[in-house]
Amino acid sequence: MWRGRPRWAKLITVLDSATPRRILILSADMGEGHNATGRALRAAAGRLWPDAATHWLDTLDVMGRGVGPAFRRIYVTNVERTPWLYEFFYDSVWRYRWFARASKRFVGEWAGRRLAAKIDQIQPDLILSTYPLGTAGLDWLRRHRGLETPIGAWVSDFAPHPFWVYQGIDLNLVMHEVAVPVAARSAPGATVAISAPTADEVFHPGDRSAARAELELPQDRFVSLVACGSLGFGRSEDTVKELLEGTPDGIVVVVCGRNERLRARIRAAIGDDPRVRVLGWTDRMATLMVASDVVVTNAGGATSLEALAVGRPVLMHRPIAAHGRANAQLMQEAGIAVVCERDGELAAAVRDLPRLAQMERLALKQADERLVEEGLLALNSARPERLGRVLSAEDSLFVHIASPRVPQHVGAVLEMSAEVTVADVAGMLDAMHGVRGHVDPGSWLRRPRWEQDESVDTKALVSEVDVPLPEAVDYFYAQPLPHGATAAALIVRGPSPAVLFKLHHALGDGVAVLRGLLTGTDGKGRAWTNPVGHQVSHKLPRLRFSGLKALARAGSVPRGQKFGAIRRHGLAKLPGPEVRATARALGATPTELLIAMFAFAYQGDQLRVMVPWSLRGTDTLRAAGNWTGAVSVDLPVQETDPLRCLELVRDALRAGVESGAPEAANFVVRLIGLLPAPAHRLLARLVYQSRWFGAIASVIPGPRWKVSLGGAEIEAAYAVLPLAEGVPIAWGALTWGRYVTVCVTGGGSTDGMPLAARMVDALREFSGRTP
């Protein structure tokens, strides 16, 4: 029977209504302590939320092939052969703040970048970390990628240190109240709470007599259990000799874990002494602890937490370097352990029965005070701490190039079947990543950031007008967002109800906006396919020299207009089935056909179009932010034969994609992001302007099912793209239900309305040439 079941019943009454569906546990096979803590959390989560799916990741495996074996080898070598080096590193992390920050930043980015795809794939509702490198990666993702999932980090050592605790984690849980100030000192400003000892559920107080009978141990003898973790660190043979000296009539049980060399050493040192039982790996540790009078160890990790969970006093004999000594000292300060460093101290400790009895009472009190479930409930009910974060190079680009006359926001025009309320639209905004915050553009010496601001009232971001839709679209998208704001929405009343929405481009590309839009409607939770082409990659982006070469060969184009302010938008609906059928019949993708239709509809001289190309993989389709490269195509705008026009566009687009141009463009953006803030700002404005392209075109996959907002169906949606400095045309095509919609943004002397209408006419030209 699980101890504490009456308290468990009380927990049922405070369960949060938002039951997690998917839980991710981050651990690591580094000894057994991290995994033991993970198993305890998994069992507790199963009792709280039996219908939730639990996923498990080994952080070291995620960080790369061979990382786990290498780190384990380094750890064992440091503890056994070079403890002075291990101690030096441990002390340096405490002594030098700059060293701690640099080390945490390095491993955080390494682990975070590798974890990002896994987290995107699993989409957890709670993340529980038991390994400091995993926690570092989660902290990095919170700060740099806006990870909003609630995150808890359980310190599976008794004494926390700077590598364990992070300000960006919602709850950092330690094992005793004496560890709270240590954790707070290791990461000032971090949220720290106390957890029950995180041991497997089999570790709980029990009947000592019954356990001894099960193990065939004498009832009237003093039993010492020696356990130094799964790796069996230290010289346990010396520990056994001193225990026998202290309790000549006692029994010593030694668990060597996976260390067969230790087992052989003890046998050689002790011989066939009937008072000593030497075991290897065993699954009966809980019963052994219940049966013992004292647990002797040297590290303070999982073994000590298991002893606490069972309610047994702990003797720390010659603790290992660094975290072992820190754990021992803190446990002694808490009154639940005695540190035995010198010869004879261990023998004296096992003879001090009154002190051992007092320690056992304290350990039982600690085991009975809390449940692991309480930490999980606190985490699940907490709103994630969305800290301010430095924007990535890809996201910062759109901060640097924005100006009052060329604002950088992506958006959508939603044609509704009926009018909706401000509350409905505010709910849609609230589902968008980053809306509750501000974009800080930075300065010449400081990089752009996104700063959390929970005071943002999404209803205040929604306005209403009663004017014709074309007029509302032109006005709304010509206006920059208020300084620092991330989003805005406009409800168009009247006979043609609509909702206009825009989000700062620094917070997401077209796919991110569409995902957020669907999350805030009745269509949330459903995935969509890519019915308009192959613009969503199914491979991780990989830089190729051919891509850089193609990028360099493209060169500049003749100077376009120096005025890029928005003048007029054009909206058009194309029959989706006809677009797909025509493209298929002509041996092209819908994306290629749509770009060829634009080239055919455009009337003028030479024109280079820049096509943003999604570098999202299937595991990053739901990620926020900008995940794009670009490919440029010199359009055959003077070609009068539709088939020849499509052939030229198709060949040029495929050649650019196959050369790796999108990945190369993304690489260049990330590369200049490594430069100091002033250089990044200047180069961003240089690479994204009319010197390199004269139009922007994007084709975005969307849902084919019905989507509603506040009970009204969204009959059609249009993707709205921003211009660039001197670039007079930007257009986006979006699949929505039975349509492929097109929105053309015109700047300078360019009018988007006739261009959108001519694209409709161009479809007839192309479909008329099908076999």
Side-chain angles (χ1 to χ4, degrees):
M1 185 77 174
W2 176 52
R3 183 178 173 87
R5 190 65 68 175
R7 295 179 60 217
W8 158 249
K10 293 179 183 179
L11 284 176
I12 294 293
T13 63
V14 295
L15 285 177
D16 192 273
S17 59
T19 301
R21 295 169 300 165
R22 292 176 295 275
I23 300 170
L24 172 60
I25 295 176
L26 280 182
S27 183
D29 188 8
M30 181 69 75
E32 194 59 25
H34 307 290
N35 288 337
T37 298
R39 289 193 297 269
L41 294 174
R42 181 171 59 189
R47 292 189 291 268
L48 283 175
W49 307 296
D51 295 330
T54 301
H55 303 262
W56 187 293
L57 289 177
D58 186 300
T59 305
L60 296 177
D61 288 345
V62 174
M63 289 174 68
R65 179 184 294 181
V67 172
F71 275 43
R72 285 188 287 273
R73 190 177 302 113
I74 292 170
Y75 175 57
V76 172
T77 300
N78 279 337
V79 171
E80 292 188 334
R81 300 182 182 180
T82 57
W84 59 269
L85 181 60
Y86 190 26
E87 194 79 48
F88 174 77
F89 176 79
Y90 191 87
D91 289 345
S92 297
V93 170
W94 275 110
R95 185 175 302 174
Y96 305 110
R97 288 290 182 187
W98 66 266
F99 179 67
R101 287 193 297 267
S103 301
K104 292 168 76 169
R105 188 180 301 117
F106 173 75
V107 298
E109 183 167 359
W110 180 4
R113 288 186 181 277
R114 294 299 187 103
L115 285 169
K118 299 291 185 182
I119 293 173
D120 284 335
Q121 188 175 27
I122 296 171
Q123 288 293 301
D125 300 304
L126 284 179
I127 302 178
L128 319 176
S129 177
T130 71
Y131 185 58
L133 269 64
T135 308
L138 295 171
D139 177 78
W140 185 87
L141 287 170
R142 170 66 55 81
R143 294 176 181 277
H144 293 271
R145 295 287 175 84
L147 178 62
E148 296 181 353
T149 306
I151 304 169
W154 272 256
V155 178
S156 54
D157 271 356
F158 197 83
H161 62 84
F163 248 99
W164 270 113
V165 185
Y166 291 82
Q167 187 181 3
I169 301 303
D170 299 300
L171 279 180
N172 296 270
L173 291 110
V174 296
M175 300 298 115
H176 196 278
E177 60 186 10
V178 299
V180 173
V182 181
R185 182 165 61 93
S186 68
T191 303
V192 181
I194 304 172
S195 170
T198 49
D200 277 333
E201 58 184 333
V202 296
F203 291 90
H204 54 77
D207 188 319
R208 183 182 276 119
S209 297
R212 290 190 178 188
E214 181 182 339
L215 296 169
E216 299 181 355
L217 290 170
Q219 298 286 345
D220 57 348
R221 307 273 286 277
F222 188 94
V223 177
S224 302
L225 175 64
V226 180
C228 296
S230 63
L231 300 176
F233 287 133
R235 295 188 59 81
S236 294
E237 58 268 37
D238 296 339
T239 303
V240 173
K241 289 178 181 178
E242 195 160 335
L243 286 170
L244 292 176
E245 178 185 336
T247 56
D249 296 330
I251 299 294
V252 179
V253 179
V254 188
V255 178
C256 300
R258 297 188 175 94
N259 194 334
E260 288 300 322
R261 290 183 299 172
L262 173 62
R263 192 174 183 181
R265 287 204 318 265
I266 294 175
R267 282 295 183 199
I270 306 302
D272 296 327
D273 192 325
R275 297 173 297 172
V276 180
R277 297 187 184 183
V278 184
L279 307 175
W281 181 262
T282 177
D283 58 1
R284 305 181 75 181
M285 280 297 297
T287 307
L288 286 166
M289 285 189 175
V290 171
S292 67
D293 292 292
V294 67
V295 176
V296 185
T297 186
N298 63 0
T303 300
S304 296
L305 298 181
E306 290 163 357
L308 283 179
V310 170
R312 291 294 175 264
V314 176
L315 301 180
M316 303 291 292
H317 186 226
R318 294 174 182 168
I320 63 175
H323 75 288
R325 291 177 183 168
N327 287 332
Q329 292 299 327
L330 202 60
M331 290 182 71
Q332 181 168 266
E333 182 181 329
I336 53 180
V338 174
V339 181
C340 307
E341 287 275 13
R342 299 183 181 88
D343 291 344
E345 288 184 341
L346 180 60
V350 293
R351 287 195 294 263
D352 191 349
L353 298 182
R355 186 177 187 182
L356 293 178
Q358 172 65 16
M359 290 167 57
E360 183 165 318
R361 285 192 293 271
L362 287 175
L364 285 169
K365 180 176 180 291
Q366 171 76 4
D368 194 52
E369 276 185 343
R370 295 180 178 85
L371 295 174
V372 176
E373 286 84 351
E374 293 169 354
L376 292 174
L377 286 173
L379 177 64
N380 189 51
S381 61
R383 188 176 183 93
E385 183 71 17
R386 305 179 198 173
L387 301 176
R389 60 186 178 92
V390 177
L391 295 176
S392 69
E394 297 98 313
D395 297 339
S396 296
L397 173 75
F398 297 104
V399 177
H400 292 323
I401 66 173
S403 69
R405 60 181 185 177
V406 190
Q408 292 301 307
H409 45 236
V410 287
V413 176
L414 311 180
E415 292 182 349
M416 309 300 301
S417 63
E419 291 191 352
V420 294
T421 67
V422 170
D424 292 331
V425 178
M428 179 184 71
L429 284 173
D430 215 18
M432 298 295 300
H433 164 75
V435 168
R436 289 189 177 273
H438 296 293
V439 172
D440 177 0
S443 65
W444 284 96
L445 298 177
R446 186 165 49 86
R447 298 184 185 279
R449 296 178 59 88
W450 175 83
E451 298 287 350
Q452 178 190 4
D453 184 358
E454 288 298 329
S455 67
V456 171
D457 181 5
T458 51
K459 289 185 178 179
L461 303 177
V462 183
S463 53
E464 303 175 78
V465 295
D466 188 358
V467 299
L469 180 59
E471 182 179 333
V473 171
D474 289 343
Y475 171 79
F476 183 67
Y477 291 107
Q479 303 302 312
L481 287 163
H483 180 72
T486 59
L490 178 68
I491 299 175
V492 180
R493 304 295 185 188
S496 300
V499 176
L500 280 54
F501 167 82
K502 58 186 176 186
L503 177 77
H504 199 300
H505 207 336
L507 298 181
D509 53 28
V511 174
V513 170
L514 183 60
R515 178 180 67 86
L517 174 66
L518 293 178
T519 301
T521 65
D522 298 339
K524 62 183 178 181
R526 299 183 66 176
W528 69 91
T529 58
N530 180 16
V532 293
H534 54 273
Q535 209 172 333
V536 174
S537 169
H538 294 271
K539 297 180 180 179
L540 292 175
R542 185 175 65 180
L543 180 66
R544 286 176 287 172
F545 177 74
S546 57
L548 290 173
K549 188 177 178 181
L551 204 63
R553 281 182 173 177
S556 61
V557 295
R559 286 282 184 176
Q561 303 174 51
K562 293 185 178 181
F563 180 76
I566 296 173
R567 179 183 178 222
R568 192 75 180 273
H569 291 82
L571 306 179
K573 292 179 186 175
L574 304 172
E578 184 177 350
V579 171
R580 291 185 286 273
T582 301
R584 187 166 52 250
L586 297 178
T589 67
T591 295
E592 293 160 353
L593 175 62
L594 287 164
I595 294 174
M597 288 163 50
F598 171 71
F600 199 74
Y602 183 83
Q603 296 177 354
D605 297 327
Q606 59 182 339
L607 180 67
R608 176 177 295 170
V609 64
M610 187 271 288
V611 184
W613 202 264
S614 179
L615 298 179
R616 296 173 183 268
T618 52
D619 54 356
T620 56
L621 191 61
R622 295 173 59 86
N626 290 272
W627 296 69
T628 56
V631 58
S632 296
V633 177
D634 289 316
L635 296 179
V637 293
Q638 296 179 342
E639 179 60 58
T640 58
D641 181 0
L643 296 183
R644 178 59 180 165
C645 179
L646 176 59
E647 180 184 354
L648 293 172
V649 168
R650 179 190 61 200
D651 292 347
L653 190 62
R654 291 185 182 182
V657 172
E658 290 170 3
S659 72
E663 292 83 358
N666 179 266
F667 171 77
V668 170
V669 171
R670 288 187 287 114
L671 183 64
I672 65 175
L674 299 176
L675 298 173
H680 185 200
R681 189 179 301 270
L682 287 173
L683 286 176
R685 294 174 177 175
L686 176 64
V687 300
Y688 202 85
Q689 47 114 324
S690 60
R691 180 175 182 178
W692 310 106
F693 51 88
I696 303 168
S698 183
V699 182
I700 304 171
R704 297 194 198 177
W705 64 85
K706 290 184 178 180
V707 180
S708 59
L709 174 64
E713 183 181 342
I714 303 177
E715 295 183 333
Y718 301 83
V720 183
L721 271 61
L723 300 171
E725 185 63 42
V727 176
I729 307 169
W731 61 271
L734 172 66
T735 295
W736 195 274
R738 62 184 185 275
Y739 299 114
V740 172
T741 60
V742 176
C743 175
V744 181
T745 302
S749 61
T750 302
D751 189 337
M753 291 187 68
L755 260 177
R758 290 200 295 269
M759 285 189 70
V760 177
D761 296 335
L763 177 60
R764 299 192 188 99
E765 292 284 346
F766 283 89
S767 60
R769 297 296 187 97
T770 58

